[in-house]
Amino acid sequence: MFQPGAIAAVGCMVDSCRECATCRNGLEQYCERRTIWTYGSPDAHTSGVTYGGYSTAIVVDQAFVLHVPAVLDLAGAAPLLCAGITTYSPLRHWKVGPSCRVGIVGLGGLGHMGLKLAHAMGAEVTLFTTSPGKADDARRLGADQVVLSTDPDAMKAQQNRLDFILNTVAASHDLGAYLKLLRLDGVMTLVGLPEHDHSALKAGVLTSKRRSLAGSGIGGIRETQEMLDFCAEHGLVSDIELIPMNYINTAYERMLKSDVRYRFVIDMASLA
Ligand SMILES: [Zn+2]
């Protein structure tokens, strides 16, 4: 229930069938019939499409609305509804915790949240990046070590070491190079969505250590609330740059060049 004046949040989805076994299990993002996404989704209630949250008001059934803990900075909390839950859900599903050795591949919007969350869950976290300039930032965000993925010796030193890898890179790359870093029964989960296919994978990299390659998409409503509460407990929000609406074209150009640390958030008060 929401009281007048309560701080409410809406994430990437606004409805689902709510009746299938998957929905009843709290996994509305994988609904067997239809998930209604917040942006550009056929809207069963209006027969139109959903237009997202770039507005001064939005109407959403309270079953798909989250409570924002008062301690969280609102602008920093906004990306938690997407980058936050996209990284939190797989870390939880594959039971990351203390004594886990976790790799995070890529330091962008998703990767920086993956780092913060895995560190807060008590894991030993290694960040893999192609950018030497990101090492200091990675350590500030929670990385115990930083590996330059273009350095063959550094990559070789990580082989058969990691329990879990969260791969956030949204560009096609050699997945086998990272799968080799997993120990017996280790899992690598993809959360980035590249425009082009990844390169072909040799089956031996999986069979030699019973490794798994998996994927994950955002998280259910119940788990998203759990993530917000976890972030409040650990004092976590996204690192953001707050921009006015009239800056969005510039922000988009900068985003294409990965020139943002680590998410742009639009101040809706600037919409007037
Ligand atoms: Zn369903």
Side-chain angles (χ1 to χ4, degrees):
M1 287 295 289
F2 289 83
Q3 302 301 324
I7 302 171
V10 176
C12 313
M13 60 181 167
V14 289
D15 207 352
S16 69
C17 89
R18 310 191 201 185
E19 291 168 351
C20 72
T22 307
C23 283
R24 287 204 307 272
N25 212 8
L27 297 166
E28 302 89 347
Q29 79 276 29
Y30 304 124
C31 174
E32 293 161 30
R33 293 173 191 152
R34 61 172 190 279
T35 301
I36 300 181
W37 305 102
T38 309
Y39 301 88
S41 215
D43 185 338
H45 302 288
T46 66
S47 304
V49 296
T50 55
Y51 286 101
Y54 300 130
S55 61
T56 52
I58 183 169
V59 178
V60 179
D61 188 298
Q62 66 178 355
F64 282 75
V65 178
L66 292 310
H67 293 271
V68 180
V71 297
L72 293 179
D73 171 69
L74 278 188
L80 297 180
L81 280 302
C82 189
I85 186 59
T86 298
T87 48
Y88 181 90
S89 183
L91 290 170
R92 275 285 185 248
H93 181 74
W94 279 280
K95 298 183 170 51
V96 163
S99 84
C100 270
R101 286 177 175 167
V102 171
I104 306 285
V105 184
L107 184 54
L110 290 167
H112 99 289
M113 281 314 304
L115 264 185
K116 290 186 183 202
L117 290 165
H119 177 73
M121 289 171 186
E124 181 202 304
V125 190
T126 303
L127 186 276
F128 295 87
T129 178
T130 53
S131 314
K134 287 185 173 175
D136 288 346
D137 228 17
R139 288 197 181 85
R140 175 182 65 81
L141 294 164
D144 295 288
Q145 57 177 331
V146 179
V147 171
L148 205 56
S149 52
T150 50
D151 178 346
D153 292 335
M155 288 294 280
K156 197 160 188 191
Q158 296 294 320
Q159 282 189 9
N160 306 320
R161 230 193 120 248
L162 300 170
D163 299 289
F164 181 75
I165 297 176
L166 187 68
N167 188 329
T168 72
V169 174
S172 55
H173 60 282
D174 177 13
L175 299 178
Y178 291 102
L179 286 164
K180 280 180 201 164
L181 311 185
L182 294 168
R183 61 156 177 77
L184 176 66
D185 288 332
V187 177
M188 178 162 82
T189 296
L190 308 182
V191 289
L193 290 172
E195 186 183 349
H196 303 289
D197 291 347
H198 289 297
S199 52
L201 186 65
K202 283 195 164 63
V205 75
L206 297 174
T207 59
S208 62
K209 287 273 185 288
R210 201 163 60 185
R211 296 166 174 133
S212 300
L213 177 61
S216 179
I218 59 167
I221 293 298
R222 188 169 64 213
E223 192 173 50
T224 304
Q225 187 63 58
E226 179 190 306
M227 177 275 306
L228 287 170
D229 296 342
F230 178 90
C231 287
E233 187 187 330
H234 293 270
L236 302 180
V237 287
S238 284
D239 285 21
I240 60 116
E241 189 176 323
L242 190 65
I243 61 166
M245 187 58 95
N246 63 16
Y247 187 78
I248 57 168
N249 288 333
T250 308
Y252 187 75
E253 293 298 320
R254 285 182 52 197
M255 188 267 299
L256 292 177
K257 292 184 285 187
S258 301
D259 175 24
V260 55
R261 294 195 175 183
Y262 283 92
R263 277 285 192 250
F264 287 116
V265 172
I266 303 168
D267 181 1
M268 295 315 297
S270 68
L271 189 60

